[in-house]
């Protein structure tokens, strides 16, 4: 059966991806888990360019969760090292490639050098004139932590008289989230066969279409992305209506 073509007018504007399965990919090959993370980072680059080439303006990727600190120190360090490498590359190329990079998550507990690099990358991106594509990297991100940080900031604003609990609505609250100002994800993709969200964008994904695939993240190709997009285009989004 010939694959149906993607409709360029009905692509999601914002895709979220839980980049999972790096460890199992490595294990299957008898390699250390860190080799899986290195392969997964390459996949991230490929998929980011594919989203850009399709004209999808927002891509949010889950790179490191608030729970991932439970892993062995060597694995955490290897992931941080990879982030450093790809951010340095992004700093160099984002202007040419038309990307902007943002971070979701609490950057405070990161190694200071990496945190500085994140902030530098983020502000360099803001300065890129006409960048049409934004990548949000979720780093030390947890949806519950994001909501708690938002509530703390909002509570302080209430104490200072800048906010009033009586007038808080969804739109006002969303301005305290890491995703402030951005559209909600239309499509959330999780590779690796796990059927859960693992604390990824719980507020923002309330009405996202979910797509799960058994493909492990390092094996995820532009063709797999196309399959997810085709599935998305076959869905009927109702948002509670009829
Ligand atoms: C996702 O791959 C990357 C991170 C969580 C940092 P995993 O490392 O979770 O891979 P699996 O799930 O163990 O295969
Ligand atoms: C989610 O994957 C986090 C990232 C992909 C960064 P995990 O591998 O940490 O999730 P669980 O533990 O399987 O739920
Ligand atoms: Mg995993």
């Amino acid at each position: 059966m010939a694959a149906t073509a993607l409709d360029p007018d009905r692509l999601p504007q914002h895709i979220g991806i839980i980049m999972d399965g790096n460890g199992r990919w490595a294990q299957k090959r008898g390699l250390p888990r860190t080799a899986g993370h290195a392969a997964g980072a390459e996949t991230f680059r490929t998929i980011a360019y594919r989203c850009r080439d399709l004209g999808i303006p927002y891509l949010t990727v889950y790179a490191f969760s608030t729970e991932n600190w439970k892993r062995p120190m060597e694995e955490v360090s290897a992931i941080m090292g990879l982030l450093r490498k790809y951010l340095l590359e992004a700093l160099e190329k984002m202007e040419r490639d038309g990307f902007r990079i943002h971070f979701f998550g609490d950057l405070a507990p990161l190694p200071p050098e990496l945190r500085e690099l994140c902030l530098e990358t983020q502000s360099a991106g803001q300065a890129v004139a006409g960048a049409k594509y934004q990548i949000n990297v979720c780093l030390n991100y947890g949806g519950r932590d994001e909501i708690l940080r938002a509530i703390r900031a909002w509570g302080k604003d209430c104490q200072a008289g800048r906010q009033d609990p009586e007038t808080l609505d969804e739109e006002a609250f969303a301005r305290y989230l890491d995703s402030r100002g951005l559209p909600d994800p239309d499509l959330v993709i999780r590779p690796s066969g796990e059927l859960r969200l693992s604390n990824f964008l719980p507020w923002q994904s309330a009405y996202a279409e979910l797509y799960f695939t058994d493909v492990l993240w390092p094996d995820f190709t532009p063709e797999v992305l196309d399959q997810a997009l085709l599935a998305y285009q076959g869905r009927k989004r109702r948002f509670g209506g009829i």
Side-chain angles (χ1 to χ4, degrees):
M1 193 178 71
T4 325
L6 282 175
D7 177 352
D9 295 326
R10 289 177 51 245
L11 286 168
Q13 293 303 289
H14 185 175
I15 299 182
I17 305 183
I18 300 169
M19 303 189 292
D20 194 24
N22 296 347
R24 279 164 283 172
W25 181 92
Q27 216 163 12
K28 265 177 39 185
R29 286 165 176 73
L31 297 169
R33 290 178 58 86
T34 49
H37 295 308
E42 285 295 316
T43 301
F44 159 68
R45 193 201 343 236
T46 306
I47 296 303
Y49 283 113
R50 175 69 182 156
C51 287
R52 182 198 65 173
D53 295 343
L54 285 166
I56 295 166
Y58 299 100
L59 170 66
T60 300
V61 291
Y62 207 1
F64 193 86
S65 77
T66 45
E67 288 75 38
N68 288 148
W69 297 104
K70 293 174 190 163
R71 297 183 179 208
M73 200 185 62
E74 308 78 64
E75 181 171 346
V76 171
S77 308
I79 294 170
M80 299 296 163
L82 282 164
L83 281 161
R84 181 175 179 277
K85 176 180 159 201
Y86 282 81
L87 289 182
L88 286 170
E89 180 189 314
L91 259 178
E92 208 177 287
K93 293 193 181 154
M94 67 187 168
E95 186 152 11
R96 184 197 76 185
D97 293 347
F99 283 119
R100 233 180 2 246
I101 297 189
H102 271 242
F103 293 90
F104 289 1
D106 181 5
L107 301 185
L110 296 179
E113 198 208 339
L114 180 62
R115 186 175 63 237
E116 285 310 311
L117 183 58
C118 291
L119 297 176
E120 193 189 335
T121 312
Q122 194 160 269
S123 48
Q126 270 148 4
V128 175
K132 284 194 294 211
Y133 301 97
Q134 178 163 330
I135 299 174
N136 306 303
V137 179
C138 297
L139 184 47
N140 189 30
Y141 174 88
R144 289 181 172 182
D145 179 67
E146 177 190 31
I147 292 171
L148 281 180
R149 284 185 287 109
I151 293 173
R152 276 188 217 116
W154 174 78
K156 280 186 189 154
D157 280 351
C158 285
Q159 281 176 330
R162 290 187 292 266
Q163 287 287 341
D164 174 3
E166 296 299 330
T167 60
L168 183 68
D169 58 15
E170 290 183 10
E171 211 181 297
F173 184 68
R175 285 199 284 272
Y176 287 86
L177 295 171
D178 296 338
S179 56
R180 65 189 74 88
L182 306 178
D184 284 339
D186 302 296
L187 171 65
V188 169
I189 300 172
R190 182 166 195 159
S192 92
E194 306 300 352
L195 307 180
R196 56 177 172 263
L197 294 176
S198 304
N199 214 0
F200 183 59
L201 303 176
W203 174 281
Q204 299 86 344
S205 297
Y207 268 102
E209 294 299 324
L210 307 180
Y211 184 84
F212 297 99
T213 167
D214 288 341
V215 171
L216 301 171
W217 177 245
D219 289 330
F220 197 100
T221 57
E223 290 69 36
V224 182
L225 180 70
D226 286 3
Q227 284 164 20
L229 292 170
L230 269 178
Y232 170 82
Q233 292 190 336
R235 307 265 181 98
K236 171 113 181 66
R237 302 183 80 188
R238 280 186 289 274
F239 300 98
I242 53 170

